[in-house]
Amino acid sequence: MTLGLCMIVKNEEKNLPRCLESVKDIVDEIIIVDTGSTDSTVEIAESYGAKVLLYKWDDSFANARNFSLQKASKDWILIMDADDELKEDDKDKVIHLVNDKNSDVDVYFGETLSYVGDAPGSDIYTNLNVRFIKNGKGIKFKGDIHEQIIFENKNNARLVDVRFYHYGYLNKTVEVKNKRKRNMQIIKKTLEDNPKDSFMLYNMGTEYMALGNFSEALNYYKKSYEDFNPDLVAFNSKLILKMIYCYEVLGEFKEEIELINEGLKYYPEFTELEFRRAMVFYNRKKYDMAIEALNKCIDMGEPPAVFRDLSGVGSYRVYYLLGAIYFDMENYDESYKYLDKALKLNCKFTEAILKISQIMFIKKFSVDEIELKLTNYFNGTVDENTNLLLSDIFYNKDKFDVAYKYAEKAEKYKINSAKVNYYKGVLLFYQRRFKEALDSLSKVEIGNFYNNSIYYSILCEIFNNQYNHADSLLDITKKFNENEKTAVYKTFKDIMQGNKYSPISEDKEDSVEFLIPIFDLLEMILKSNSFDEFKKAVQLLNLINDDSILLLLGKLYYRRGYFEFAYKEFIRSIKIYEKIDIEALEMMKLILIYKEV
């Protein structure tokens, strides 16, 4: 039997090749409905032999989807979006499914693994979506957004173990496409016609939650929950889960636990609810109760597909949280044991890598030992993100030469060159290789890393006595709307150059705005072991009017391991400003203990 792919797209030139590459050798037809692309989407689609049909967008995903179904001519229809990718290992399953002549199924649901965050990694959320439709059975979609299938006849549907990666909810994609605004406009229009539509109320709640408005999200979820039907498992299990998350963020502990208990009565196999209970107790440092809940998660195991949302709630995330608990209790051997289990189940779980590396440093493993143990977890699957993660780990421990080695390894993948060049530039700066640092930083294009790369470049030019170049870069920072930071860097340049300089701020309230950029700059200079420059940079503190400067300077010295200097500044803060806090007192206590030892 034959299989055709049906898609609706708009401006998907970055995603479409990955999608079509994943299925081009198993589909017999590609139907692409374009709703108004202005990039090279259409040309890319045609290069894969697709039949491209233009469709005037009418704010209805169901209408566009149904239009694509009407044009399909093959026995089975595969439904994908441009930011989907069929998992390579599951191609044979698709071929078997399409050619199964004994099956009476008309619709197959597949598992969608959605990446979230800044880059594809271990943060994956799961949904079930319609993926395969038998052609000619009268099956259509309804709903202007998050469209659902409707059956005109008595059709059979089944879940199949075929997985698709989804890249559409990565932070950059959501931001670039302004998906939230588009989605909310369509949902609002639907709710005007049917204000009690539980599914649309749920969808609106989800949009508000994505925007960080958890109170408004919970209001919509509660309205949706009024018509709760436990038999609608896929929808209502996620509704319960998202309400629980809102309760947690809003600090409504009692309601959260009650809903967890209620949800488990309806869905006893829903492991993530028990995992959320463990998180509730962990966040409140009730470690014994958290451990009890986590052991239940292990007994329950990973939930059935219909209850899957966050991956690993019956496996690697449980072991990670146990490791985190024992880490907080300073039982590092027990913590290491559980983190090791987590990483053997999921070597790309970033939080576990970071935590286990902390333990290795605490237990004074050599750099070679740490490198060997960490790279062994990846078992040959090292990529750009992995190398940058390893670079971060050693950077945070001031092992700048080791960190630089991994940044260089990341460079060969040529995927995120701006990030890699930024990493290299920063790490060269901290090794005082200023000319080389400038070379890397100059390659960082406008984007997430551009502003910081300019400030690091200014310091490189100052340290190289290239003050005219520093002035040119300072002019660029005027466009960043970071006036306080620009003023701090300009004044530091004047100090280093021997120019006259004036107080940055004599007003006590205004001076507060300069504290963060000044102390960020001081830490950067101290971290680079630029002691002569640091002595001059400290003069910046005399140019603002704030009685917390000595306290903050003491904390900076403490963080960098200069304990005697830290202690002296704390004493000066008490004598001159009569200012100290609990954190500083604890630091002073530890310094005295350290001196006695």
Side-chain angles (χ1 to χ4, degrees):
M1 300 181 78
T2 54
L3 174 67
L5 169 66
C6 283
M7 303 174 64
I8 53 176
V9 301
K10 181 181 177 181
N11 291 337
E12 292 286 3
E13 64 181 6
K14 292 185 178 178
N15 288 312
L16 192 57
R18 178 184 58 224
C19 174
L20 296 180
E21 282 292 327
S22 73
V23 297
K24 67 179 183 181
D25 52 346
I26 61 169
V27 296
D28 305 290
E29 170 183 77
I30 300 175
I31 303 291
I32 289 188
V33 172
D34 186 88
T35 62
S37 292
T38 55
D39 61 4
S40 60
T41 295
V42 171
E43 291 80 359
I44 291 170
E46 289 175 340
S47 73
Y48 281 86
K51 181 179 181 181
V52 179
L53 305 166
L54 303 182
Y55 183 87
K56 186 176 180 180
W57 179 243
D58 59 359
D59 284 338
S60 173
F61 282 92
N63 289 347
R65 190 78 72 189
N66 290 333
F67 178 74
S68 73
L69 299 186
Q70 292 169 15
K71 305 302 178 181
S73 64
K74 304 306 176 184
D75 300 309
W76 281 91
I77 300 169
L78 167 60
I79 303 294
M80 292 178 73
D81 290 328
D83 44 16
D84 289 332
E85 177 187 22
L86 175 65
K87 198 171 189 299
E88 176 72 24
D89 297 344
D90 291 348
K91 284 184 178 181
D92 289 341
K93 296 177 186 176
V94 174
I95 295 169
H96 176 75
L97 176 153
V98 169
N99 290 290
D100 185 2
K101 296 179 180 178
N102 297 319
S103 173
D104 61 351
V105 177
D106 300 316
V107 174
Y108 284 104
F109 286 79
E111 195 170 2
T112 303
L113 309 174
S114 294
Y115 290 117
V116 295
D118 293 327
S122 60
D123 283 337
I124 295 175
Y125 287 82
T126 302
N127 279 301
L128 302 181
N129 296 96
V130 174
R131 290 297 183 179
F132 302 94
I133 297 173
K134 189 173 283 186
N135 204 358
K137 294 289 183 176
I139 298 167
K140 296 180 181 178
F141 286 88
K142 72 170 184 177
D144 290 337
I145 192 167
H146 301 300
E147 61 277 17
Q148 306 290 298
I149 58 168
I150 54 175
F151 300 113
E152 289 190 356
N153 305 306
K154 214 171 186 181
N155 304 104
N156 293 324
R158 188 180 298 167
L159 174 64
V160 64
D161 185 24
V162 175
R163 294 154 294 177
F164 297 80
Y165 292 119
H166 183 70
Y167 297 81
Y169 289 104
L170 290 169
N171 291 341
K172 188 175 181 181
T173 304
V174 173
E175 181 183 340
V176 168
K177 294 190 176 183
N178 203 2
K179 282 188 174 184
R180 302 300 171 203
K181 184 178 178 181
R182 176 205 67 188
N183 291 357
M184 292 176 85
Q185 287 174 341
I186 298 173
I187 295 168
K188 184 179 179 182
K189 180 182 173 184
T190 304
L191 286 173
E192 286 173 356
D193 297 331
N194 187 359
K196 292 190 175 182
D197 186 326
S198 294
F199 186 57
M200 284 299 136
L201 289 167
Y202 163 81
N203 288 329
M204 185 65 94
T206 300
E207 296 300 329
Y208 274 111
M209 191 167 84
L211 292 171
N213 190 339
F214 296 98
S215 180
E216 194 64 20
L218 186 58
N219 287 336
Y220 277 98
Y221 287 145
K222 284 180 176 178
K223 290 176 184 178
S224 178
Y225 195 60
E226 288 174 4
D227 293 327
F228 181 78
N229 178 356
D231 294 332
L232 299 175
V233 178
F235 163 42
N236 279 310
S237 62
K238 289 191 180 294
L239 171 60
I240 288 174
L241 192 59
K242 289 183 177 177
M243 288 176 71
I244 287 167
Y245 188 77
C246 288
Y247 280 133
E248 173 64 24
V249 173
L250 296 170
E252 298 181 27
F253 169 72
K254 183 172 176 288
E255 292 83 355
E256 185 178 5
I257 292 295
E258 285 177 355
L259 189 56
I260 288 171
N261 291 334
E262 192 172 327
L264 283 167
K265 285 179 184 176
Y266 289 122
Y267 310 121
E269 295 178 289
F270 198 174
T271 311
E272 189 165 348
L273 296 184
E274 193 62 45
F275 184 78
R276 289 293 167 187
R277 189 201 307 277
M279 289 294 298
V280 170
F281 291 131
Y282 172 71
N283 290 335
R284 288 159 181 80
K285 301 188 185 304
K286 298 179 182 291
Y287 294 141
D288 288 343
M289 299 172 81
I291 290 170
E292 182 182 349
L294 289 169
N295 285 328
K296 286 183 182 176
C297 290
I298 293 170
D299 291 340
M300 293 169 74
E302 291 292 338
V306 71
F307 294 124
R308 285 181 203 154
D309 187 69
L310 182 64
S311 62
V313 294
S315 57
Y316 67 89
R317 287 186 193 273
V318 177
Y319 291 123
Y320 166 74
L321 196 53
L322 285 166
I325 289 170
Y326 285 109
F327 184 92
D328 291 349
M329 295 167 67
E330 298 185 3
N331 185 341
Y332 299 123
D333 289 336
E334 198 70 5
S335 177
Y336 188 98
K337 180 181 78 175
Y338 283 113
L339 294 169
D340 181 66
K341 284 186 177 183
L343 287 167
K344 284 175 178 174
L345 291 170
N346 183 351
C347 66
K348 294 294 182 73
F349 193 39
T350 301
E351 291 91 336
I353 286 286
L354 293 173
K355 189 73 73 178
I356 206 167
S357 66
Q358 279 184 271
I359 294 174
M360 291 184 208
F361 280 108
I362 289 169
K363 293 175 75 67
K364 300 190 183 307
F365 285 28
S366 71
V367 168
D368 288 343
E369 283 180 294
I370 296 171
E371 284 192 85
L372 179 62
K373 286 183 179 293
L374 292 180
T375 52
N376 280 346
Y377 283 122
F378 298 115
N379 195 26
T381 61
V382 176
D383 55 17
E384 181 190 73
N385 288 328
T386 305
N387 278 308
L388 291 178
L389 173 61
L390 291 168
S391 182
D392 272 331
I393 288 168
F394 290 102
Y395 165 79
N396 289 328
K397 293 299 178 181
D398 292 355
K399 305 294 183 185
F400 303 124
D401 54 341
V402 181
Y404 182 76
K405 177 177 69 176
Y406 286 106
E408 278 197 308
K409 288 182 179 180
E411 188 173 26
K412 71 178 183 180
Y413 294 93
K414 297 181 180 178
I415 298 172
N416 195 342
S417 57
K419 186 174 183 179
V420 172
N421 282 318
Y422 175 71
Y423 269 53
K424 287 179 62 183
V426 169
L427 292 165
L428 288 165
F429 169 83
Y430 285 118
Q431 295 176 75
R432 294 185 56 81
R433 295 159 62 182
F434 301 126
K435 289 183 179 179
E436 294 169 84
L438 277 167
D439 183 56
S440 288
L441 293 167
S442 68
K443 297 174 184 174
V444 178
E445 299 174 351
I446 292 176
N448 292 338
F449 304 96
Y450 181 72
N451 289 18
N452 280 344
S453 73
I454 295 296
Y455 289 113
Y456 273 105
S457 297
I458 290 169
L459 292 183
C460 289
E461 296 290 14
I462 292 171
F463 291 175
N464 282 332
N465 299 319
Q466 298 294 321
Y467 299 113
N468 290 338
H469 295 168
D471 282 329
S472 299
L473 292 169
L474 282 164
D475 286 339
I476 295 174
T477 68
K478 292 174 183 177
K479 302 173 185 177
F480 297 165
N481 280 332
E482 297 174 340
N483 297 336
E484 292 82 5
K485 193 169 182 177
T486 297
V488 167
Y489 275 71
K490 182 183 184 307
T491 305
F492 174 61
K493 188 221 71 165
D494 289 335
I495 291 171
M496 291 292 296
Q497 194 173 2
N499 292 342
K500 289 183 179 180
Y501 52 89
S502 304
I504 298 174
S505 174
E506 296 178 344
D507 182 85
K508 193 165 186 177
E509 288 187 13
D510 288 345
S511 291
V512 173
E513 302 297 323
F514 292 91
L515 284 175
I516 291 177
I518 286 176
F519 276 95
D520 283 349
L521 174 60
L522 289 175
E523 184 151 19
M524 290 164 65
I525 297 171
L526 194 57
K527 187 189 262 190
S528 68
N529 293 325
S530 302
F531 301 115
D532 291 338
E533 292 86 350
F534 182 79
K535 287 177 184 177
K536 293 183 179 180
V538 170
Q539 295 177 44
L540 291 165
L541 298 177
N542 299 324
L543 305 179
I544 60 173
N545 181 12
D546 193 285
D547 58 8
S548 64
I549 54 174
L550 297 179
L551 183 64
L552 293 172
L553 184 58
K555 291 180 179 180
L556 170 59
Y557 281 135
Y558 184 89
R559 285 196 305 273
R560 298 305 309 160
Y562 299 103
F563 300 128
E564 288 191 21
F565 288 143
Y567 195 88
K568 286 177 182 177
E569 295 303 332
F570 291 142
I571 294 297
R572 289 182 67 210
S573 180
I574 294 169
K575 287 181 177 179
I576 297 172
Y577 296 114
E578 297 182 349
K579 195 171 186 71
I580 199 73
D581 61 18
I582 293 172
E583 182 185 24
L585 287 171
E586 183 64 25
M587 289 176 175
M588 292 175 77
K589 176 184 171 184
L590 292 172
I591 290 168
L592 290 173
I593 292 171
Y594 174 76
K595 284 178 74 174
E596 288 178 5
V597 172

